[in-house]
């Protein structure tokens, strides 16, 4: 009888402990992040996973002109909510055809970023637009990232490139 009571007590304690942790993650971390992403006008949430050590956010960019400004604000807010967890953002705008355009121009683009010749980037993107007959090709920049958007027909490609090697944003589909 005594062992059964101890076993039930241990089981109840573990359920409360892990159930409380799960509930905390859901209410205090995941839901506020979902709310912040839901307020974006430039992107929509494809998937969100809050793990023990990291947060995975999958976005689809819907308005590329607005995205850089909203992305900066979103990342600041998510960092505050994350409690030191690693944050990984993946963009769904990854057309295979336009990825070829991106990969063909990546050497010159990376060179411009590495040499801090950011004024060359709009020229490079403009050249891609002409050479590959793109409907839209644009580059924007802030203190931390360079944002590149390519569009042809229904296909689009969005890349976020860190200006310094210290930060990383995944750009995979």
């Amino acid at each position: 009888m005594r062992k059964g009571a101890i076993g039930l007590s241990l089981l109840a304690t573990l359920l409360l402990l892990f159930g409380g942790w799960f509930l905390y993650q859901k209410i205090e971390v995941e839901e506020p992040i979902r709310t912040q992403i839901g307020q974006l006008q430039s992107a929509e949430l494809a998937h969100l996973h809050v793990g023990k050590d990291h947060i995975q956010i999958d976005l689809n960019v819907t308005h590329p002109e607005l995205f850089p400004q909203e992305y900066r604000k979103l990342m600041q807010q998510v960092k505050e909510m994350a409690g030191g967890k690693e944050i990984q953002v993946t963009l769904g705008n990854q057309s295979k055809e336009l990825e070829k355009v991106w990969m063909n121009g990546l050497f010159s683009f990376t060179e411009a970023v590495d040499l801090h010749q950011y004024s060359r980037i709009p020229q490079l993107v403009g050249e891609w637009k002409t050479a590959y007959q793109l409907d839209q090709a644009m580059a924007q920049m802030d203190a931390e990232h360079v944002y590149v958007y390519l569009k042809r027909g229904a296909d689009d490609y969005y890349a976020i490139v860190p200006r310094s090697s210290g930060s990383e944003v995944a750009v995979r589909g």
Side-chain angles (χ1 to χ4, degrees):
M1 180 77 168
R2 182 116 165 100
K3 289 182 181 179
I6 293 173
L8 284 175
S9 175
L10 178 62
L11 181 63
T13 302
L14 289 173
L15 283 172
L16 283 173
L17 178 66
F18 289 111
W21 178 82
F22 178 77
L23 193 60
Y24 171 80
Q25 288 288 93
K26 199 78 162 151
I27 293 173
E28 294 296 322
V29 180
E30 186 175 329
E31 286 307 314
I33 292 173
R34 280 187 190 279
T35 300
Q36 291 300 323
I37 294 171
Q39 293 175 1
L40 295 178
Q41 296 175 10
S42 63
E44 48 192 39
L45 181 64
H47 178 73
L48 173 63
H49 174 74
V50 178
K52 180 181 173 190
D53 299 325
H54 78 284
I55 297 173
Q56 173 66 45
I57 302 172
D58 298 339
L59 297 173
N60 290 318
V61 177
T62 55
H63 296 290
E65 301 85 10
L66 300 174
F67 185 69
Q69 181 180 4
E70 289 190 339
Y71 178 78
R72 282 190 302 273
K73 290 178 186 174
L74 175 67
M75 291 308 293
Q76 289 171 347
Q77 293 165 339
V78 170
K79 284 178 186 175
E80 291 172 9
M81 294 179 234
K85 294 179 177 155
E86 176 188 352
I87 302 165
Q88 184 176 17
V89 177
T90 303
L91 302 177
N93 307 68
Q94 302 295 304
S95 159
K96 293 295 179 195
E97 286 300 313
L98 293 178
E99 183 178 21
K100 292 175 188 174
V101 173
W102 172 249
M103 295 307 289
N104 286 338
L106 192 56
F107 183 82
S108 299
F109 181 88
T110 303
E111 180 182 50
V113 172
D114 287 348
L115 297 176
H116 305 287
Q117 297 174 343
Y118 302 110
S119 60
R120 285 184 44 211
I121 293 172
Q123 177 188 356
L124 288 171
V125 173
E127 291 171 5
W128 299 348
K129 182 177 181 183
T130 303
Y132 296 102
Q133 300 171 345
L134 303 176
D135 298 330
Q136 191 175 2
M138 67 175 195
Q140 295 176 300
M141 186 176 78
D142 63 22
E144 296 179 25
H145 299 98
V146 179
Y147 306 85
V148 178
Y149 180 70
L150 308 173
K151 181 173 179 55
R152 180 172 50 212
D155 294 334
D156 64 350
Y157 187 88
Y158 204 104
I160 302 173
V161 180
R163 286 180 54 185
S164 65
S165 59
S167 60
E168 183 176 332
V169 176
V171 215
R172 52 190 160 92

